[in-house]
Structure formats: structure tokens, C-alpha cells
Amino acid sequence: MFNTASGVIIPFPEQIEEKYSISENQIMFNISFEKLKAFIDDFVSNLSEPLFLIIQKPLKEKYKPNSFAKGPFKAELYYFDLGTKAQTTEVLDQYGEILLNDGMSEFGVSSHKTGDEIFIAKYKIALIFSKNIKQYFSLLDKYGITETNDLITAWDIISSEYPGERSRVVIDNKDIFYVVEALKDISPMYDSKIIDDTK
């Protein structure tokens, strides 16, 4: 059975399978929620240092109720230098529960050296970017994720008739807004910008 984060509701989740598809230098895949943290940890362990963390969150604490709410909406995109794998793992251990469960934010980890990146997008659809994507096939296989030419993700299932829902998650009185402010205190933030949140 495919599971997703507590801050996400997907219509007809039984239609989603743990599969991946390839497009040039990108892998898009579905992974059941209970495996996601371990997969990210394994991915990070294979990255070349120095590393950085990407977080995209709503500009304000006013959330879209679903994918078809009227916009326009704005989001903030942050880049935090984390340096080592050890520091990255520490941050993910400390704030991962919020990052993984929150339905309104997106995040990723990337290497400054190679550009290899894992990004967890809306509805927890996972993306890997690399100039050598073949190196990650064995990792996908380890987690039982197999290749397909017809990948079905939450983005394919959601419609105006059956909208998905994404909500803010609060754990121990902390949310994604808290996480961003906390990271500003412990990690160099080398860039941030306001962007259109279109999807």
C-alpha cells in the first residue's frame, strides 16, 4: 500500500505505484512515505561535499486549500550552505519530521561540486537530478522502485473534480516557518528569493 505524508491528501492513492521514469538528466519517482527519510539519507551519503539545503515555502501563513484554489500565490525559496554530510544529516534528523510531513513546502539537498540533487516536490513527488543518473539505479532498486515508461504520480491523478490537498503540519509547536528561521541561525544562507508558486 502506498502511503504519503500527513500534510498531503491524494485522491485514489491506490493508483500510485513505486515506480520511476527517466527524462534526460532527471529521475522522477514515487516512494511510499515510510521509506522516504531512509532514501534521502542514503542519497546524501553518496553526494560530494560541500552540500546545500533548498527549502521552498509559502510567502505567508495563508495556505491554498487545494491544487485548484485561485491564485496568484507567492513562495520563498531559500538556499542554506550545510557543508558536510554530517551536518546535513544532523539538520535532517532535527527537522526532517516537519520537512517530510509538511504539505505546503518543498525541499531538497544538492552538491555544490557535482550538481547532483534530490528534491521532494509538492505531494512528495521525488526528483533526482544528475549528469550521471545511472549511478542511482541501484539505490532505487534497493528500495523496490522500478522503471516504467508510464509513470503515474499525484500530479496526474489530481483534477478540478478530485483536487489534492496540502496542509501545514505543526509538530511540538514547530512548523516550516520555524524551521526556516532556525536554519538562518545555524547555517549560512547564501541566497533567497520570492517566486511564483504556480503548481
Side-chain angles (χ1 to χ4, degrees):
M1 179 178 176
F2 185 85
N3 298 306
T4 192
S6 60
V8 170
I9 296 176
I10 301 170
F12 313 115
E14 66 276 6
Q15 295 183 23
I16 298 178
E17 298 180 302
E18 291 187 293
K19 303 281 188 179
Y20 72 89
S21 65
I22 301 169
S23 175
E24 295 184 4
N25 296 326
Q26 172 187 293
I27 302 171
M28 178 183 291
F29 63 102
N30 299 316
I31 182 169
S32 195
F33 182 76
E34 71 277 5
K35 301 178 183 178
L36 184 54
K37 175 62 164 60
F39 188 99
I40 293 171
D41 286 343
D42 277 351
F43 186 90
V44 167
S45 72
N46 288 304
L47 287 177
S48 298
E49 297 174 347
L51 310 183
F52 63 95
L53 175 69
I54 308 154
I55 295 181
Q56 180 178 322
K57 70 169 185 61
L59 183 60
K60 299 179 180 178
E61 293 187 49
K62 186 175 182 181
Y63 291 85
K64 289 187 275 186
N66 59 57
S67 296
F68 291 87
K70 294 180 179 178
F73 296 94
K74 297 291 184 179
E76 288 180 295
L77 189 59
Y78 295 90
Y79 299 88
F80 295 96
D81 269 324
L82 297 180
T84 66
K85 298 176 188 179
Q87 185 175 0
T88 302
T89 299
E90 183 179 345
V91 167
L92 293 175
D93 286 345
Q94 187 169 4
Y95 300 114
E97 190 174 6
I98 294 173
L99 290 169
L100 291 166
N101 278 284
D102 186 70
M104 296 307 300
S105 58
E106 306 168 64
F107 76 99
V109 179
S110 184
S111 164
H112 277 296
K113 184 176 181 179
T114 66
D116 285 19
E117 177 183 315
I118 186 166
F119 191 78
I120 310 304
K122 291 181 177 67
Y123 294 99
K124 305 305 175 184
I125 295 167
L127 300 159
I128 289 173
F129 302 96
S130 175
K131 293 178 181 178
N132 178 23
I133 57 173
K134 292 182 179 180
Q135 67 182 306
Y136 296 110
F137 291 171
S138 61
L139 179 59
L140 291 159
D141 183 64
K142 174 182 175 180
Y143 285 87
I145 304 168
T146 56
E147 186 178 3
T148 180
N149 293 322
D150 188 25
L151 181 67
I152 296 174
T153 71
W155 294 339
D156 300 303
I157 296 171
I158 291 165
S159 67
S160 56
E161 185 178 2
Y162 299 105
E165 294 184 16
R166 298 182 291 117
S167 59
R168 178 170 61 107
V169 168
V170 180
I171 300 172
D172 295 330
N173 295 317
K174 299 173 183 177
D175 63 5
I176 189 62
F177 294 90
Y178 174 92
V179 170
V180 168
E181 293 306 312
L183 287 171
K184 289 178 183 179
D185 291 334
I186 64 174
S187 300
M189 184 179 71
Y190 70 87
D191 195 14
S192 67
K193 54 189 173 183
I194 297 174
I195 61 173
D196 290 323
D197 188 4
T198 56
K199 184 171 285 187

